[in-house]
Amino acid sequence: MARQKRQFCPEADALAEKLGQTILRLRTADKLSLGDLSDMSGVAKSMISQIEKNETNPSLATLSRLSLALGTSVEAMVSNDDGPDALVEKLFIKDIPLLKSEDGLCELRIIGSIDTVQWLQWYDFKAEVGGVLESSAHPDGSIENLSVLTGEITVEVAGQSWCVKSGETIRYKADREHKLTNTGTTPAHATMVNILAQLVRN
């Protein structure tokens, strides 16, 4: 008995088209080429291109590999939610600027948005034992917030000093020279947020 041709289903075709558009949008947002996504997912470039153009019906296994590479889920990719995209920006480690202290023992990753840098600066700070990070004064009225995740950091501002340990947060005036030193016996890790108050008021 001859196998009957599958009837056209507009709902399924619309879902396949949406899936292709979603994969293309996520790949573009992550600044990935077809080759990049292929290397990350193990799915052939030609297959990804066909999926994005709604020229093929991918298997669940293929969709699963693509969703993992794009940092989402199969359910999210086929969701019928047509609301605005919640993703503002996704950065890979290579896209995040890295600064190092003069002694080479401290590193500062700039994880704050470039759109807010004039009034809000957000950093990921790491220091080896004995590492010192010296900073010049920020604009008048600025406040720096340091939260130590692991280790121990001593903060020095204008002749005063405070020891901040894992789990503790300190806020201090940063409109004068200040210095962070890992005075512990293990590497230290902290988050740092600078609020440039003068620029906010102007």
Side-chain angles (χ1 to χ4, degrees):
M1 181 177 178
R3 185 176 180 180
Q4 291 185 345
K5 184 177 180 181
R6 183 172 63 87
Q7 293 184 343
F8 172 72
C9 176
E11 291 82 5
D13 190 64
L15 181 61
E17 183 177 3
K18 178 179 177 61
L19 176 64
Q21 293 173 347
T22 300
I23 291 174
L24 174 60
R25 174 174 56 78
L26 293 175
R27 178 172 67 80
T28 303
D30 286 348
K31 300 178 182 177
L32 298 174
S33 67
L34 285 170
D36 293 333
L37 184 54
S38 176
D39 291 340
M40 293 169 62
S41 66
V43 178
K45 286 194 298 184
S46 58
M47 172 64 75
I48 298 173
S49 177
Q50 289 174 349
I51 295 172
E52 291 181 349
K53 297 175 182 176
N54 191 20
E55 295 176 350
T56 187
N57 293 320
S59 67
L60 183 58
T62 296
L63 292 181
S64 180
R65 290 198 293 269
L66 288 172
S67 66
L68 286 173
L70 291 168
T72 185
S73 66
V74 175
E75 291 82 358
M77 290 199 301
V78 299
S79 170
N80 288 324
D81 180 12
D82 292 323
D85 189 2
L87 179 67
V88 175
E89 184 179 27
K90 178 182 177 182
L91 299 177
F92 291 94
I93 190 69
K94 63 181 176 61
D95 300 318
I96 301 175
L98 174 64
L99 306 175
K100 294 208 172 189
S101 60
E102 292 186 5
D103 62 13
L105 297 178
C106 300
E107 64 177 37
L108 204 61
R109 290 193 179 274
I110 305 174
I111 55 179
S113 171
I114 189 66
D115 296 331
T116 66
V117 70
Q118 290 188 327
W119 59 274
L120 180 68
Q121 300 173 351
W122 180 16
Y123 303 96
D124 183 77
F125 174 63
K126 292 182 179 179
E128 296 297 327
V129 176
V132 178
L133 178 69
E134 297 188 68
S135 300
S136 56
H138 299 310
D140 184 46
S142 298
I143 300 294
E144 193 160 280
N145 304 262
L146 182 77
S147 295
V148 178
L149 304 176
T150 58
E152 177 181 305
I153 296 173
T154 294
V155 179
E156 296 180 61
V157 183
Q160 295 180 286
S161 65
W162 307 270
C163 179
V164 191
K165 298 182 179 180
S166 177
E168 298 179 339
T169 294
I170 185 173
R171 298 182 176 89
Y172 47 92
K173 296 179 179 180
D175 52 4
R176 57 207 72 183
E177 292 184 356
H178 47 287
K179 181 168 66 174
L180 307 180
T181 305
N182 180 354
T183 51
T185 57
T186 60
H189 184 196
T191 59
M192 184 192 308
V193 177
N194 294 336
I195 302 175
L196 306 184
Q198 183 186 53
L199 294 178
V200 173
R201 291 195 298 268
N202 287 345

